[in-house]
Structures are given as structure tokens and as C-alpha cells.
Amino acid sequence: MVADVSAANSIGILNTNRRAYYIALPKPPKFRINHISREAVSQPFHFPFSLMAIAPPSLRPLHKSLFPKYPSFSHDSPFRPSLLFSSKPFRLTVRASSAVALEQDLRTQGTQQNQTVETELFSCPVCYEPLIRKGPPGLNLDAIYRSGFKCKKCNKSFSSKDVFLDLTVTAGLRNYTEVKPVRTELFRSPLVSFLYERGWRQNFNLSGFPGADEEFRMAQEYFKPAEGGTLVDVSCGSGLFSRKFAKSGTYSGVIALDFSENMLRQCNDFIKQDASLLASNIALVRADVSRLPFSSGSIDAVHAGAALHCWPSPSNAIAEISRILRSGGVFVGSTFLRYTSSTPWIIRPFRERVMQSYNYLTEEEIEEVCTNSGLTNFSKKVQRSFIMFSAQKP
């Protein structure tokens, strides 16, 4: 072997005598590529060994970045690879630019993995730890249906095999059945779920409710500070307002939440009839309003239309709503009042006796419960027995 041959010829010799070189010379001389003429560069360039075969796996993605499409190596070039051939294990020194490329590649791989395994907005109703989601990302019906959810702390799994994601404490139990008060169980009936928007809700006008369209407009005024955020429509029923919120395009995501399985199925039927809703960011979730499956301070807006009087414990429910609201988040609710300040004193005992089956509250009681739960800026609009109120998380 001639020691003073050109770099290009040295490469040719090494390429043709690779095996003999390693066997015959335990400590061969070191060769360094300092310069390659333009004539040599214009010819096909071959290495005497394969980087993919020898380099460590973590460095393999960098072999393409080591040699640009038209390499020009010179003594003054900032890119001068130093290639060492010896009988010792192969070592490759990577310049800072290559290290940056490796870091970017690892970040890209991490991003791709997060598309299938990510920390979800939902949390476990048992321990309130964020759920790990495996499946396609997104808050739409199809993505939720094709995803699996599991708590990383208590290892409890939650099913989305139905048209809704079940995030109740009793989800998955086979032998235990929990029966709620009559006012709650009534709305789990398939018949009531079917009739709710087909005559049932319209009767609320007799008590002063201005109608769904006007109530939606009033709620949107209260929700202005929460525009662009995530809205949860608790006790959504058949999704009358959930669908309006989703179609408005005001929020990044809308979660229609109810304890009634049949109400959520009815909501799904209405959504399937509207192509624009199918493409929107709306999800159906079964949950208990007294045990909301969201991390503390994670929600921008909570709506509860004509629902508070049906809750087993309004104080517990409003405390939960306050917990999940972020700072500046808004809670808007509407309900029937037990009586108002204009109700004659002689009639009030009668109304209290008739309405014992539901948790009808007064204006003062609603404000006191909201304030006691840490909410501020209480505001209300009253029309006969109808009240819409708003409170904000400081």
C-alpha cells in the first residue's frame, strides 16, 4: 500500500481491500480526508464502509445530513468530517449542527407518538387524575368512539363503545346498580328523552322561560369572556343547547354531558341529522354533575339549562362546577324559582308544598350557593318563575 496516495485513490484501495485491510493490519495507519478535487466530486462517491451497518442506531438518521447533495470539501470548509479507520470499535464524532439535527429528529418522533397516546382533557371521576387516551386525537364523535381511555393512577378503564363516553364512577360495573331520586330517574326514561324536544320543553314558556333561541342568546352574552375556550353543557338533556353552542363556532370544543344514557342517545340522533354538527368539535359524555370528570381549573365555560332543580344536591354540583372552572371561567344556569320577590306572601307556602319533589330555590339561595362555592360577579335575569344567572371564577 502506498502511503502518499491521493485521498480519492486511498478510498478506492480501501474499498477494494476492505476485508484484507482489517485482517492484515491490526493497527493500520490513520487516513484523514482533507481535500477532494472537483473532478473527484463530480464522480459517484462511495464510502469504504456502510454507516448504516456500523454506526450506533441512535445516530443512523444522521447519515444523510453528513453529505449534502453536492459536497465540496476543502481545508477551510466548516464541514470537514474526520473519518478514522482502525481495528478498534468504530467511533464517529458529530459536529454541533448534527447534534441539533438529532435533537429535532427525536422531537419529531415524540410528537408522532403523542398523536396516539396523549394526556386527555378528561380526568378520572375516582381520583381526578388526567386520563391517558389511545386513539385518534380530537373532540368529535368519531375520534372519541375510536379511542380508549385509562387512568394512569388507579388503572381504571373507561369505555367509549357506545355513542357516548361513560365517565361515571360506576362505569363498567356489572353487579352494582345505583338508583337516583325520582326526578333524576325520570329523565333516564326513553319516552321522556324522546318527548323532551317534541313538546315537553315548550311547556316551560308557561313559567316564564323565553324560549330556546332567546335563552341561547342570553347565555352567549354571559359567555363572552369564555369565547374560544372549552364549554361543558352539564345536564344537557337531548342536547338542545349543546348543538347550538357547537354550531355557533364560538368555542374550541363543546362537551354535551348528562347522566341519562337515553338523553345522550337522543342527542346523538339529532347530531347525525346535521352534517355540520358531525364535523364540529362536540363530544357526548355520561357523567354525574356532582363528580365531574375534568381536572381542576381546566374548563372555560359551564352551562346548565333548566337543570339545577333536578340535581340531587345543587350545592355539591355548583361546588364541582367551581372546581373545574379556570380563573375567569363563567358558569351560566337557568332554572325554575320556588317563588320570587314579587310572589304574594299568602301564596308562597302553597308553592313550597307543591314543589317539594324538586329542588326549586329562590334567587337569594342560588346567589348564596354560588358565592359559598367561590364564585363571584353574580348576575341574574328574572321573568316570573324563570331565572338565568351567571357567576365567574375569580
Side-chain angles (χ1 to χ4, degrees), residues 80-101:
R80 287 190 303 152
S82 177
L83 302 178
L84 179 64
F85 302 93
S86 69
S87 59
K88 297 180 180 180
F90 176 78
R91 294 183 299 175
L92 177 63
T93 302
V94 183
R95 295 180 65 87
S97 60
S98 299
V100 173

Side-chain angles (χ1 to χ4, degrees), residues 186-248:
L186 176 66
F187 291 96
R188 298 180 70 182
S189 163
L191 179 61
V192 173
S193 301
F194 178 81
L195 294 176
Y196 188 75
E197 290 189 40
R198 298 177 174 91
W200 185 293
R201 186 57 164 75
Q202 287 77 355
N203 289 325
F204 291 5
N205 296 345
L206 300 175
S207 299
F209 278 70
D213 291 339
E214 178 61 17
E215 292 170 49
F216 171 71
R217 187 197 64 78
M218 294 167 62
Q220 285 288 76
E221 287 293 321
Y222 281 130
F223 280 136
K224 282 189 178 296
E227 289 182 356
T230 302
L231 181 145
V232 178
D233 188 17
V234 298
S235 299
C236 66
S238 57
L240 175 61
F241 291 100
S242 304
R243 305 195 305 273
K244 290 180 179 291
F245 289 129
K247 291 192 71 172
S248 71

Side-chain angles (χ1 to χ4, degrees), residues 56-73:
S58 60
L59 297 177
R60 289 180 183 176
L62 298 175
H63 74 283
K64 293 183 179 180
S65 64
L66 288 175
F67 299 96
K69 185 176 181 181
Y70 299 103
S72 178
F73 301 105

Side-chain angles (χ1 to χ4, degrees), residues 69-301:
K69 185 176 181 181
Y70 299 103
S72 178
F73 301 105
S74 65
H75 182 73
D76 299 326
S77 173
F79 186 82
R80 287 190 303 152
S82 177
L83 302 178
L84 179 64
F85 302 93
S86 69
S87 59
K88 297 180 180 180
F90 176 78
R91 294 183 299 175
L92 177 63
T93 302
V94 183
R95 295 180 65 87
S97 60
S98 299
V100 173
L102 176 60
E103 183 179 357
Q104 291 176 346
D105 182 70
L106 292 176
R107 288 179 180 176
T108 302
Q109 293 178 2
T111 302
Q112 294 173 349
Q113 290 178 354
N114 287 339
Q115 292 177 355
T116 55
V117 180
E118 58 179 292
T119 301
E120 185 59 32
L121 170 69
F122 306 115
S123 70
C124 175
V126 177
C127 56
Y128 291 140
E129 286 293 322
L131 297 180
I132 299 300
R133 172 178 177 176
K134 293 186 178 180
L139 202 60
N140 56 79
L141 297 182
D142 183 64
I144 296 294
Y145 178 79
R146 294 164 54 197
S147 298
F149 297 84
K150 190 173 185 179
C151 178
K152 62 182 180 181
K153 183 175 181 180
C154 66
N155 213 33
K156 182 176 174 61
S157 297
F158 299 92
S159 171
S160 56
K161 63 181 179 181
D162 210 328
V163 297
F164 54 84
L165 173 62
D166 193 344
L167 293 180
T168 58
V169 174
T170 57
L173 298 184
R174 297 181 179 180
N175 300 319
Y176 176 78
T177 301
E178 190 168 73
V179 180
K180 296 289 186 179
V182 175
R183 56 182 175 270
T184 301
E185 291 296 319
L186 176 66
F187 291 96
R188 298 180 70 182
S189 163
L191 179 61
V192 173
S193 301
F194 178 81
L195 294 176
Y196 188 75
E197 290 189 40
R198 298 177 174 91
W200 185 293
R201 186 57 164 75
Q202 287 77 355
N203 289 325
F204 291 5
N205 296 345
L206 300 175
S207 299
F209 278 70
D213 291 339
E214 178 61 17
E215 292 170 49
F216 171 71
R217 187 197 64 78
M218 294 167 62
Q220 285 288 76
E221 287 293 321
Y222 281 130
F223 280 136
K224 282 189 178 296
E227 289 182 356
T230 302
L231 181 145
V232 178
D233 188 17
V234 298
S235 299
C236 66
S238 57
L240 175 61
F241 291 100
S242 304
R243 305 195 305 273
K244 290 180 179 291
F245 289 129
K247 291 192 71 172
S248 71
T250 309
Y251 311 96
S252 59
V254 174
I255 299 173
L257 183 148
D258 203 282
F259 188 76
S260 170
E261 304 92 326
N262 286 306
M263 281 292 191
L264 292 171
R265 294 188 183 102
Q266 185 62 64
C267 181
N268 183 68
D269 290 341
F270 285 129
I271 291 174
K272 290 191 296 184
Q273 297 172 16
D274 192 329
S276 62
L277 279 172
L278 282 173
S280 65
N281 288 332
I282 184 171
L284 305 183
V285 175
R286 181 175 183 249
D288 189 338
V289 70
S290 295
R291 197 79 181 176
L292 294 173
F294 305 101
S295 301
S296 299
S298 62
I299 303 300
D300 301 276

Side-chain angles (χ1 to χ4, degrees), residues 321-338:
I321 290 170
S322 177
R323 179 187 66 81
I324 67 172
L325 280 175
R326 65 165 177 80
S327 178
V330 181
F331 169 43
V332 175
S334 63
T335 186
F336 296 90
L337 292 172
R338 188 163 70 244

